[in-house]
Amino acid sequence: MGEAGHALALAGGWSSRRDADAAARVYTCTSLTTEPNELVARIHNRMPVILDPTDWAAWLTEVTPAGELRSLLRPAPVESL
């Protein structure tokens, strides 16, 4: 996770709905945060949830149980940053 030259994946969500007044589709998105690891805690009380590459498929699969998804909402290891 987070090695030089490699991608990071942040946990997030999205939704869409039809706006009744405009008859248009409205899209929204969010980034999820968690308590900071020791590195980030020096500058802020929250940090983005950075998913380990081994967890990407679970996060993106619609059938992953909610409890398993909640377990991914943790601080990234300091050594990964």
Side-chain angles (χ1 to χ4, degrees):
M1 176 189 331
E3 295 176 32
H6 291 99
L8 289 176
L10 304 180
W14 69 276
S15 68
S16 68
R17 64 176 174 81
R18 177 126 351 246
D19 183 312
D21 295 329
R25 183 121 339 255
V26 176
Y27 297 92
T28 62
C29 65
T30 188
S31 294
L32 300 177
T33 62
T34 189
E35 63 271 2
N37 63 22
E38 303 82 46
L39 180 67
V40 176
R42 294 184 275 169
I43 58 171
H44 204 277
N45 66 347
R46 305 293 292 166
M47 71 179 293
V49 173
I50 301 171
L51 298 168
D52 189 276
T54 61
D55 297 325
W56 294 1
W59 186 261
L60 295 171
T61 302
E62 294 180 13
V63 297
T64 304
E68 184 177 336
L69 293 174
R70 276 191 291 278
S71 74
L72 304 178
L73 305 179
R74 60 186 181 268
V78 171
E79 61 275 4
S80 71
L81 302 176

